[in-house]
Amino acid sequence: MAAFRSLTADRQTFEPFKLAARTRSARSIDEKSKSASTELPLHLFEWSQSNQDGVEVKNVRSVTDLEARDVPTVRVVFAPRDAPAPETADGLMRLFENFKIPSAFIAESIQNISQSFAAQKDIDGTTYVWFHFLCKTVNVDGNRIIHPQGDIQDSSELGQAYISAQMQSQADFSWLKPGFVLKVKKQPSLPRMPSRTRTSSSDATMNSASVESSIELFCFGAPESLGNRFQKLAGFAICDDLVQDPYILLEVVLEEMYKILDRIGWDISHVFGEIETKTLKLATTPGKVDQLPRDHFTGLHNLAKHVTYLRENCDSALATLSGLRHHHSAAIGDRPEPAQEFTRQALEYRKTLFQSTQRRLASLDKRMANVIQLSFHLVTVGDSRIMMSENQSMKTIAVMTLIFMPLSTVAGIFGTQFMKLDEEEPWHIRVSQDFWLLWVIAMPLTVLVVIIWRVWYYDARGRLIGELPPRGKDERGWLGWKTVAFLGKGET
């Protein structure tokens, strides 16, 4: 029953991982990557009781090379991302099996889980702590965010849509998806001679250890900056520093991931700041709204989308940090050692930093909403000014028409056959006896046109201001004749 309940005992997750790797391999056309799938480049940092200082190892090309090395007390392993990629699937499978990586952790990578945290003590006494950390990243070129252009060979409709989306203003679909697994196995041992320990804030001291520990931290798909961080750690931290509280390794991981998330937030803020400044400057001259870039709203939408993702990542990081703090408190008990107390304080401090970034991202989100709303108002004001300009033009045309209308009327009347000019002197104008026909025909037509116009005008005006019932979906207006019937019934 204990094995059944263990999160590390279910090895059936390997089959979906293998299947996903085969599926991706079938889609790949790079035969070279297929042939290299048995290799797995690894980057190691090791500490041992015999040699307290950390050692960096770079020439490990496969899991076989890793297994051939002596087992140190503390080992940090940097491996490719725990995704079923064709070029690393075989190597990752062997690493999972030989080092007993929790199957639940593998299942998370297959399902593309955005956030997780778990702590489990296995049946052999080994403590496993693992989590995934999803973080949005952007690539800034000058004052714009761009998506790195890669070789995408996908002619499907979905693939072409993805390529088209990459070309949008301020678009970037880059993500950082590392996963971390900490294994801590402690075994009682015979008392040994006191050994030295060193921290960054104190000189060498003496400490007697009565427990042999085996500590392994696996970093899958971790950023290069985290490797640089452990490289510095190997230069000043000794083995006993890490054995006293192995959870300090996870605190180092969260520290570096926080720096990355915070830096991305500032990068987006700087890009948006320039757009915000230009928009506010245009707000002082609404008539020049046409100076807004054509991709202005597209860029703002993509920037807001990046901030939304970062806020989600920050919330997930705080949830992970909360789980780690709770587990660490339960593990160290009520009387923590100085090193354990230091880790507890560091985790508490890391929480305040994530909360600070969370609040700044919320503020940035509101600023973006304000600028988007301002941009819409500027466009509306610009359109209104254009309409006012066109109305002024129509007013000018109407005035000029009114000025020349009497002259046109007189010219029209004198141009009819009812009036003729004598061809000889004294050139008198002769009016036909049937001149009255002109008025008999023209006046009724004029009255009819005026009536039609007035009925249509009152119909449109009444429905606009709500004095008349709205017209049905399939109902025709018939130039307002139904309004005449409506008014004829005495309704208002």
Side-chain angles (χ1 to χ4, degrees), residues 451-461 463 468 471 475-488:
I451 292 175
I452 293 175
W453 170 76
R454 292 296 291 179
V455 172
W456 175 85
Y457 171 76
Y458 278 110
D459 177 79
R461 178 178 177 274
R463 297 186 189 279
L468 297 175
R471 186 178 291 119
E475 182 182 358
R476 301 180 62 183
W478 296 108
L479 293 178
W481 291 116
K482 291 189 177 183
T483 301
V484 176
F486 180 81
L487 295 176

Side-chain angles (χ1 to χ4, degrees), residues 188-221:
S189 64
L190 296 176
R192 58 182 176 84
M193 294 298 296
S195 60
R196 62 188 178 91
T197 181
R198 180 171 69 244
T199 64
S200 57
S201 59
S202 64
D203 295 330
T205 59
M206 301 300 291
N207 180 53
S208 179
S210 59
V211 176
E212 288 288 345
S213 299
S214 175
I215 303 168
E216 293 177 310
L217 173 64
F218 295 89
C219 306
F220 297 94

Side-chain angles (χ1 to χ4, degrees), residues 349-367:
Y349 171 65
R350 195 67 48 210
K351 172 187 173 183
T352 63
L353 293 181
F354 275 112
Q355 289 175 336
S356 174
T357 301
Q358 184 184 44
R359 287 188 285 268
R360 178 157 45 82
L361 291 174
S363 175
L364 181 60
D365 193 20
K366 293 181 179 179
R367 286 172 55 197

Side-chain angles (χ1 to χ4, degrees), residues 319-380:
T320 298
L321 186 58
S322 176
L324 179 59
R325 290 172 57 242
H326 177 75
H327 170 72
H328 183 259
S329 299
I332 64 178
D334 298 333
R335 296 182 179 181
E337 298 292 335
Q340 296 171 335
E341 179 64 21
F342 173 80
T343 302
R344 187 192 66 80
Q345 294 174 355
L347 293 175
E348 183 68 26
Y349 171 65
R350 195 67 48 210
K351 172 187 173 183
T352 63
L353 293 181
F354 275 112
Q355 289 175 336
S356 174
T357 301
Q358 184 184 44
R359 287 188 285 268
R360 178 157 45 82
L361 291 174
S363 175
L364 181 60
D365 193 20
K366 293 181 179 179
R367 286 172 55 197
M368 288 184 178
N370 289 338
V371 169
I372 291 176
Q373 186 177 17
L374 174 62
S375 300
F376 274 115
H377 289 330
L378 290 177
V379 172
T380 302

